[in-house]
Amino acid sequence: MTVTELPTDIIPHSSFRAEVEEKSGQKISACFQCEKCTNGCPVTFAMDIAPHRLIRSVHLGLKEEVLKSDTIWVCASCEACTTRCPNGIDIAHIMDTLRQMSQRQGFPASRKNVPLLHRAFLTSVKRRGRVNETGLAVSYTLKSAGLGGLLKQGMNQGLGMLRRGKLRLLPDRVRAGDQISDIFKNTEKKG
Ligand code: SF4
Ligand code: SF4
């Protein structure tokens, strides 16, 4: 991980902040940079812009730096930051909003495979209401490494994991599958 050097001469402009606030429903301008979000985040070691700095960057209008950052993809959506924020800012939801914006507005992720994993995860949840590890591993490896990579990894790791009972071949389906499918439909409608 390389820490992103943010520009030192910044002329703040508010259009990006307004866009993120509107899409996420979160009041980013309420942030007073206490750093509690960053101090509680378990994955800052792998981020290029710490969460409180990312929020500040949105505030200042550094759209490109934010939407191209590793941070928005490294975020594990654990919500530790959200529960710690004294101003009630849902930072995890902002991260999710930024991921969507970066994809929809054509910003390339700094690590190309991370969005692939993200999409494979969501597709698995959309289909069955929960993640099926085998399906997720197959779909992700096929997209990221092609058929050759899938065969190689399947032989190296997949078979061993199956033998040890770490992977389930047949997917489970949750009872509330229809409700989950409605959640996806409503979210896609809202854009
Ligand atoms: S915890 Fe909330 S107020 Fe504090 S830096 Fe993070 S976003 Fe800003
Ligand atoms: S939701 Fe993301 S940014 Fe917030 S604490 Fe968890 S990993 Fe860190």
Side-chain angles (χ1 to χ4, degrees), residues 123-139:
T123 305
S124 183
V125 175
K126 188 178 177 180
R127 281 199 190 129
R128 309 189 190 287
R130 61 179 299 177
V131 171
N132 168 251
E133 292 90 350
T134 311
L136 175 67
V138 169
S139 159

Side-chain angles (χ1 to χ4, degrees), residues 27-28 30-39 51-53 55-56 80-91 94:
K27 196 146 181 57
I28 288 161
C31 171
F32 50 31
Q33 290 291 289
C34 68
E35 296 189 32
K36 277 185 166 229
C37 48
T38 294
N39 292 337
H52 74 285
R53 292 183 75 215
I55 298 293
R56 185 69 179 144
C81 51
T82 299
T83 54
R84 288 171 67 101
C85 179
N87 288 324
I89 302 170
D90 188 344
I91 301 133
I94 292 172

Side-chain angles (χ1 to χ4, degrees), residues 37 40-43 47 51 74-82 91-92 95:
C37 48
C41 175
V43 289
M47 290 177 168
V74 166
C75 167
S77 303
C78 69
E79 301 192 355
C81 51
T82 299
I91 301 133
M95 294 285 187

Side-chain angles (χ1 to χ4, degrees), residues 16-30:
F16 181 46
R17 175 188 48 78
E19 188 184 356
V20 180
E21 285 194 335
E22 198 249 313
K23 286 190 160 77
S24 67
Q26 299 301 307
K27 196 146 181 57
I28 288 161
S29 44

Side-chain angles (χ1 to χ4, degrees), residues 125-126 173 176-186 188:
V125 175
K126 188 178 177 180
R173 213 185 151 81
D178 291 345
Q179 287 172 29
I180 289 172
S181 162
D182 285 346
I183 292 171
F184 273 93
K185 272 188 213 141
N186 289 337
E188 279 156 11

